[in-house]
Amino acid sequence: MSNETKLTKADLRRAALRWMPMAVNTFSYQYQQAGSVVFALGPALRKIYQSDDEYVEALNNHFNYFNAHPWMANLVLGAALGIEDEGGIAAKEAVQGFKVALMGPMAGIGDSLIWVLYPTIMGSIAGSLALQGNISLTLIWLALNIAFMFVRVWMFEFGYTSGTKLISMLGDRVSMLTETLAILGLVVGGALIPSVVKITTPLTFTAGESVTEIQSILDQIFPFLLPVLATFVCYRLVKGNKVSISVLILIIVVISMVCAAFGILS
């Protein structure tokens, strides 16, 4: 086993930049993101392995099932390169075992934090401000996404220097962090429904000379009931893969126009 490392920061940055735009572009049901992993790490592995046979063996080793959140995978792939750079082809089993062990936890953190919590908070607030003619948060959101590209490159380098220490550093905190972020995302998403989804009804109920607004009754029983019901229906339709997002938007537009025309909703 050789302790002499061959990769430089430039090699790691190149691997990170090759991974970021290609993470799910070669996605397949059999290997998931393996093709993108091989594409990203190929030049770095070529530098580690001067022997053609070892290089091909390393590529084939990485062309095994791999599926993690594209952003968080930077840590895993960087660490895998660190193990391989230090241990050579003899460490291929350790590399594969390491990737398998961490791809699930990293997917859980990334899905909860990056795919759910971050866009839910930023998108909802940005949309709410945009309705008032304020696009400041939209521009901040764009700037943050650009800044995160540099963070993702740094994550690759950090993973490389950390190696297998990532497992001991994370430990049981991964599942706790994933559950915490999921709960926080649900709370934030639920709290934003009343401020973002605006649905009321002008319908009234007449009994003799008494005219009662249905909306006022709903507000006394369950404030913002209509927005909650609408959100729940949309969520079930999307989660059950019954309709796509584009079709759902079209359905909402048509229903809104019909209900407004007949005075059902306001």
Side-chain angles (χ1 to χ4, degrees):
M1 180 180 292
S2 172
N3 292 323
E4 181 183 353
T5 58
K6 302 179 178 64
L7 299 182
T8 64
K9 282 190 175 183
D11 297 322
L12 298 175
R13 290 168 185 165
R14 182 184 181 189
L17 292 174
R18 286 169 68 89
W19 165 255
M20 287 193 291
M22 291 295 293
V24 293
N25 283 355
T26 61
F27 192 91
S28 69
Y29 287 106
Q30 183 176 2
Y31 299 108
Q32 305 286 297
Q33 299 168 328
S36 297
V37 171
V38 171
F39 174 80
L41 306 187
L45 294 174
R46 176 79 272 188
K47 191 170 181 179
I48 295 173
Y49 301 109
Q50 302 301 315
S51 166
D52 291 344
D53 291 339
E54 289 187 347
Y55 176 59
V56 172
E57 188 176 351
L59 290 179
N60 288 334
N61 186 49
H62 282 287
F63 212 104
N64 282 304
Y65 183 93
F66 182 79
N67 186 28
H69 188 278
W71 292 26
M72 301 303 297
N74 289 30
L75 285 172
V76 181
L77 298 181
L81 276 181
I83 299 171
E84 204 149 5
D85 195 10
E86 184 177 353
I89 198 64
K92 72 172 188 177
E93 296 297 334
V95 169
Q96 183 59 20
F98 177 83
K99 288 166 58 182
V100 171
L102 278 192
M103 67 180 182
M106 290 298 102
I109 293 175
D111 290 346
S112 301
L113 178 61
I114 300 170
W115 278 174
V116 176
L117 187 61
Y118 172 62
T120 297
I121 295 176
M122 298 297 292
S124 300
I125 299 176
S128 180
L129 291 176
L131 292 174
Q132 304 172 26
N134 186 341
I135 64 169
S136 59
L137 194 66
T138 303
L139 298 177
I140 294 174
W141 191 6
L142 176 61
L144 283 175
N145 286 338
I146 295 173
F148 283 150
M149 293 181 65
F150 295 94
V151 174
R152 292 166 66 184
V153 173
W154 171 83
M155 289 169 64
F156 220 99
E157 298 176 13
F158 179 76
Y160 174 83
T161 56
S162 298
T164 54
K165 288 188 295 184
L166 272 177
I167 294 180
S168 58
M169 290 168 58
L170 294 173
D172 296 333
R173 301 173 186 172
V174 174
S175 58
M176 181 180 68
L177 178 60
T178 302
E179 291 181 12
T180 302
L181 292 174
I183 294 171
L184 181 58
L186 290 172
V187 171
V188 172
L192 286 170
I193 291 174
S195 61
V196 176
V197 184
K198 304 292 186 180
I199 303 177
T200 58
T201 177
L203 296 177
T204 58
F205 175 75
T206 304
E209 297 182 356
S210 175
V211 178
T212 304
E213 295 181 354
I214 294 180
Q215 184 64 52
S216 64
I217 297 177
L218 293 177
D219 290 340
Q220 294 175 22
I221 299 174
F222 192 145
F224 305 106
L225 176 61
L226 294 180
V228 170
L229 288 177
T231 303
F232 176 75
V233 171
C234 292
Y235 170 76
R236 295 299 300 178
L237 290 174
V238 173
K239 184 180 180 182
N241 295 320
K242 296 180 175 62
V243 296
S244 65
I245 295 295
S246 300
V247 174
L248 180 60
I249 293 174
L250 181 60
I251 292 174
I252 292 173
V253 171
V254 172
I255 292 177
S256 299
M257 294 174 64
V258 171
C259 289
F262 287 92
I264 300 174
L265 297 177
S266 61

